[in-house]
Amino acid sequence: MDLRTGIRQRIHQASMALVGLVMLPTAALAQGLGVASVGATGGLTIPSAYVLEQGDMALSLGNYQDPKLGSFNRRQNYSLGFGLLPGVELFGRFTEYTSRQAASPGAPNFRGISDISANIKWQLPIDLQGVPKLAVGVTDISGGAAFFKSKYAVASDEVGPLRWSLGYAQSNPPLGGTVGAKVLDGVFGGAELKLGSSRATLLAETDGTQQHAGLRYYSESLPSLGDAQLVGTLQRSFGATTLAGHFANATSVNVSLVVPLGTADKARQTRTDAAARPLPALDQAVAGAMVATAQDRLDGLARALRATGLDRVRVGMLGNELVVEYENYRYLHNEADALGIVLGLAAEAAPTGTTRINALTRKAGLEVLETSVDVAAYRSFLRDGDAARVKNTLGFGLLPGYDDTAVQWAAGEAGAGRRQTRLRVEVKPLLNYTLGTEFDAFDYSLAANVRSTASLWKGAQVYADVVQRIANSSNIDPGRVFASSRQRNGLKTLALQQSFWLAPRLFASVGAGKFDHDGLGAEGESILFLPWNADTVHFKGSYLRRPDDALSRTTEAYAGSYRLRFSPETWIEAGYEQYTDRSTGPSVVLTRWFGDAAVQLFARKGGNNTFVGLELNLPLTPRQGMGAGPVQLTGTPRYAQSIRTRLTNGGNTGNFVDNGAVRSVNLNYKPEVEMLNSGRIAPADITGQIQRLRESFYLYARDQID
């Protein structure tokens, strides 16, 4: 019996063993998804027909490499995936199969494959009993160098403790050639078996050219990591060969972290009900309210709101309606958190006979949002979590426009609205990087940006950015190949910013001062909120002049766009731009919100260059930060990091590092982030987070009520 026959027999025996194990009385498999080395949810190396849940993010790293691609001393796979739309997952993959050696400073140091690729999978919307899940996908979508390009169709299903997949793929040789290693080509399939009542599974599969077996473990949800799930895999290849036909079996590992970026309303309600200290029954609360005077109640409400860390708190009565003004720089993930605190405390402390609450949200003294609600409905909602009635009583406005003098403000501190915070200090990281170049796998320059902001008059703020470099790779040292990406220390920005409403639905913000260390200029943005829907029109631009250069240089960039809001979670923004390199062309951005995180896919064309990429936006600050005080230290409410690549074509064949090409105008002061809750102030944005309002009250304000 030759070696190949022996291998086939062992595979057959392993398959029969799997079938036998299926007959054991074990629990169903559905406990999570693993990430295959190909950069998609699936088995060890093959994709399955399952996809990430909408709003899930998967980070994965491993060291599997197909031996047909060569022999290298560095074998790394990194992938980042998102459940972008229902039934659609998108993965970005960075592969480093190289043998890098010590090289002279600034000299290329490369042999092998260093590749950035994008993979997409669509699960067909077929949900019929007895019909497996079906999906189609593409790996290594690229207009340039493609080492892993493949198209596939796959079916998957679960039978008791067994999950199986069977598919067919068609691959192209690397770099568009006619010969060479093909990855994921031909018929592929595999099975995953749950081992008894444990959280471990046994996997066996073929990718069309070789076989694999492995052991995988799915952790419980980890509350300390935002209910993320850790998935670890150990695998071994069988029958693997090099292009020369030599056997090259190997053992490899893979670790994935699957993180839900958002939280479902039902989950928020369940957690709040389970952990919250109950409020007094409504009849008891009414009886107690008759003891205190209206002024006592207003005083107590103002003290409670200040105790939660809100600023410029002022309360008063407008007829039989309660009015609360406040500024929030503590709960920076989402204005819904601060609003939930205000509405909850106001509903519980409202004087007897109060019918509605009007909460006015201010930024830099400027009104940006008004929310009103029926008192009785909201008090019931706080107790039972039933949002149906309270949703029907909610009212909204983009610009209040009420008569401030008509409000009977409370006497003393409760009606003063004094500012507690004089200086806000925000700390955020700055990162410049290159990925997968001829010089190294990853070069970077990391710095801290410290912004100090002081409010002056209504809508006016002065701010300064100071940058301190923390670390960088050697290729970014002065005189090296990527020295232009080195972060620069010192005062980067000193500017005065004025924001205002030109009309009830037209917001504008302009700034002037010192920008980019040694330039003088101005920048601004205006946003028109359309009266017939939640769509918006945006105009922004910047002008920068560097007078100290031997030849004075100016940088002018502008953009105009229309934002189409399909829902509070899904936006498409299309427009026309002049980029910072003076090229012009169209741009389109798809934004998907998952809780407080946003994923953006973009395409921008400037002249003969087209760049596509992905940007991840996250709040880098605690959900409840430092409260109002003379000096308030915060993180950033919106940190954005992107990755992009140039689309190559016949007239533009090189995908070179060019940090300055086709860059959109990047405002130093971002009015939407600083003033308008990152653009999420439409009525549907608040109504869609009704359970979050209740949750934030119980998390951060319940203890203010006796």
Side-chain angles (χ1 to χ4, degrees):
M1 181 174 61
D2 61 23
L3 183 59
R4 293 181 183 274
T5 302
I7 291 174
R8 285 195 294 268
Q9 287 185 354
R10 286 196 293 272
I11 294 171
H12 175 74
Q13 292 168 358
S15 302
M16 295 304 296
L18 279 176
V19 173
L21 285 172
V22 171
M23 309 308 295
L24 296 176
T26 53
L29 179 63
Q31 59 186 17
L33 294 174
V35 178
S37 61
V38 74
T41 51
L44 303 171
T45 62
I46 65 172
S48 69
Y50 299 102
V51 294
L52 291 172
E53 290 290 333
Q54 187 178 197
D56 281 359
M57 177 178 71
L59 301 97
S60 182
L61 61 93
N63 64 346
Y64 171 77
Q65 181 218 308
D66 191 320
K68 291 186 179 63
L69 296 171
S71 178
F72 307 103
N73 57 28
R74 178 186 287 182
R75 299 180 295 274
Q76 301 174 101
N77 293 298
Y78 302 92
S79 67
L80 174 64
F82 297 95
L84 196 63
L85 296 167
V88 177
E89 71 174 26
L90 176 70
F91 268 81
R93 178 189 180 194
F94 172 56
T95 299
E96 174 82 354
Y97 302 153
T98 62
S99 294
R100 296 186 184 270
Q101 306 295 330
S104 301
N109 175 18
F110 180 74
R111 183 178 72 81
I113 297 172
S114 191
D115 185 67
I116 303 171
S117 58
N119 309 325
I120 190 168
K121 189 201 306 183
W122 175 44
Q123 185 185 82
L124 304 183
I126 300 173
D127 189 12
L128 299 174
Q129 187 174 3
V131 177
K133 300 293 185 184
L134 303 173
V136 293
V138 181
T139 63
D140 204 353
I141 305 169
S142 173
F147 292 93
F148 308 101
K149 198 169 188 64
S150 182
K151 297 174 286 187
Y152 63 87
V154 60
S156 299
D157 204 355
E158 293 186 17
V159 181
L162 182 72
R163 177 188 289 164
W164 61 265
S165 295
L166 181 64
Y168 179 79
Q170 185 176 22
S171 177
N172 296 331
L175 302 177
T178 58
V179 296
K182 293 184 177 182
V183 177
L184 193 64
D185 188 56
V187 176
F188 63 88
E192 182 175 6
L193 179 71
K194 183 173 171 58
L195 298 179
S197 59
S198 71
R199 302 191 64 82
T201 61
L202 185 66
L203 298 95
E205 65 184 43
T206 175
D207 63 8
T209 61
Q210 56 189 303
Q211 292 74 47
H212 307 271
L215 186 68
R216 176 170 285 169
Y217 178 78
Y218 298 87
S219 77
E220 299 276 3
S221 295
L222 305 173
S224 60
L225 293 177
D227 291 333
Q229 184 181 46
L230 190 65
V231 184
T233 304
L234 175 67
Q235 72 181 74
R236 177 74 178 176
S237 58
F238 298 93
T241 59
T242 66
L243 278 179
H246 302 299
F247 284 102
N249 296 329
T251 301
S252 56
V253 296
N254 188 81
V255 179
S256 301
L257 188 69
V258 182
V259 186
L261 295 178
T263 303
D265 279 353
K266 190 62 177 178
R268 290 189 189 276
Q269 182 178 353
T270 301
R271 291 180 184 178
T272 302
D273 291 341
R277 183 160 60 93
L279 290 167
L282 286 174
D283 54 349
Q284 295 176 11
V286 172
M290 297 175 64
V291 176
T293 66
Q295 182 62 46
D296 290 338
R297 289 227 159 228
L298 295 179
D299 286 341
L301 173 59
R303 286 193 299 270
L305 290 170
R306 292 191 185 101
T308 63
L310 299 177
D311 201 5
R312 288 189 175 180
V313 173
R314 182 163 68 151
V315 299
M317 298 298 296
L318 184 61
N320 59 356
E321 297 187 7
L322 175 62
V323 179
V324 181
E325 290 184 352
Y326 69 96
E327 283 193 2
N328 165 46
Y329 293 106
R330 184 180 196 184
Y331 307 92
L332 294 181
H333 282 204
N334 196 319
E335 282 296 328
D337 284 336
L339 183 60
I341 291 169
V342 171
L343 294 180
L345 288 175
E348 292 300 300
T352 303
T354 302
T355 58
R356 288 188 72 80
I357 303 163
N358 295 276
L360 279 74
T361 305
R362 292 178 178 268
K363 293 290 185 181
L366 190 71
E367 300 94 342
V368 295
L369 178 66
E370 178 183 5
T371 311
S372 63
V373 71
D374 179 82
V375 172
Y378 205 82
R379 295 183 74 197
S380 297
F381 166 62
L382 290 177
R383 286 159 175 79
D384 61 24
D386 184 358
R389 182 184 174 194
V390 75
K391 283 185 177 181
N392 294 330
T393 73
L394 282 167
F396 303 95
L398 288 174
L399 181 65
Y402 74 104
D403 186 357
D404 181 274
T405 61
V407 179
Q408 185 178 350
W409 298 107
E413 285 295 316
R418 290 193 178 94
R419 184 171 62 198
Q420 295 176 273
T421 300
R422 299 295 174 180
L423 182 69
R424 286 187 294 111
V425 180
E426 175 193 288
V427 181
K428 69 176 181 180
L430 298 177
L431 176 65
N432 293 335
Y433 73 95
T434 63
L435 192 64
T437 69
E438 292 84 356
F439 299 90
D440 212 339
F442 180 67
D443 283 302
Y444 69 95
S445 180
L446 176 66
N449 186 100
V450 180
R451 169 169 292 185
S452 301
T453 304
S455 294
L456 301 177
W457 53 85
K458 188 174 182 178
Q461 296 175 302
V462 60
Y463 69 96
D465 290 327
V466 176
V467 175
Q468 177 58 53
R469 188 171 54 255
I470 297 173
N472 61 261
S473 60
S474 59
N475 281 328
I476 294 185
D477 284 339
R480 296 291 184 90
V481 61
F482 298 128
S484 61
S485 295
R486 183 178 169 89
Q487 302 283 359
R488 182 175 169 185
N489 289 337
L491 179 65
K492 182 179 181 180
T493 311
L494 178 61
L496 173 67
Q497 192 79 18
Q498 176 69 58
S499 303
F500 46 88
W501 291 93
L502 289 171
R505 304 188 72 87
L506 181 57
F507 178 83
S509 185
V510 295
K514 176 181 179 179
F515 300 102
D516 199 18
H517 295 281
D518 52 12
L520 299 176
E523 62 179 31
E525 181 174 16
S526 61
I527 304 171
L528 174 63
F529 296 84
L530 299 181
W532 52 83
N533 59 24
D535 295 352
T536 49
V537 179
H538 299 251
F539 297 97
K540 60 182 177 181
S542 65
Y543 172 85
L544 183 65
R545 184 173 184 270
R546 302 181 187 276
D548 294 336
D549 291 350
L551 295 174
S552 294
R553 294 183 293 117
T554 61
T555 301
E556 302 167 355
Y558 59 81
S561 61
Y562 183 94
R563 180 181 294 167
L564 176 63
R565 289 173 52 116
F566 293 99
S567 71
E569 297 80 26
T570 306
W571 308 342
I572 288 185
E573 188 168 342
Y576 190 85
E577 303 190 40
Q578 175 173 296
Y579 302 99
T580 55
D581 62 354
R582 294 186 177 273
S583 65
T584 59
S587 65
V588 61
V589 181
L590 168 67
T591 301
R592 285 283 293 152
W593 284 95
F594 305 110
D596 297 322
V599 179
Q600 292 185 325
L601 300 179
F602 60 84
R604 299 185 176 105
K605 179 176 174 57
N608 194 37
N609 294 315
T610 299
F611 285 87
V612 296
L614 178 145
E615 182 173 279
L616 179 62
N617 288 261
L618 297 168
L620 290 187
T621 187
R623 186 173 171 186
Q624 182 190 45
M626 184 177 180
V631 178
Q632 187 177 27
L633 180 65
T634 73
T636 178
R638 192 62 40 204
Y639 173 74
Q641 192 67 56
S642 65
I643 182 170
R644 68 174 194 161
T645 185
R646 190 196 314 259
L647 289 183
T648 57
N649 53 53
N652 191 357
T653 58
N655 191 359
F656 304 109
V657 174
D658 191 350
N659 291 328
V662 194
R663 291 289 186 183
S664 293
V665 53
N666 185 23
L667 302 179
N668 293 274
Y669 184 96
K670 296 177 173 53
E672 267 204 316
V673 173
E674 301 287 347
M675 304 288 285
L676 304 177
N677 195 33
S678 298
R680 297 171 293 166
I681 62 170
D685 296 320
I686 306 301
T687 304
Q689 299 184 89
I690 190 71
Q691 290 296 340
R692 182 170 184 155
L693 303 182
R694 180 172 179 259
E695 179 195 49
S696 66
F697 165 76
Y698 277 103
L699 283 176
Y700 309 121
R702 172 63 182 88
D703 291 343
Q704 300 301 322
I705 299 174
D706 296 331

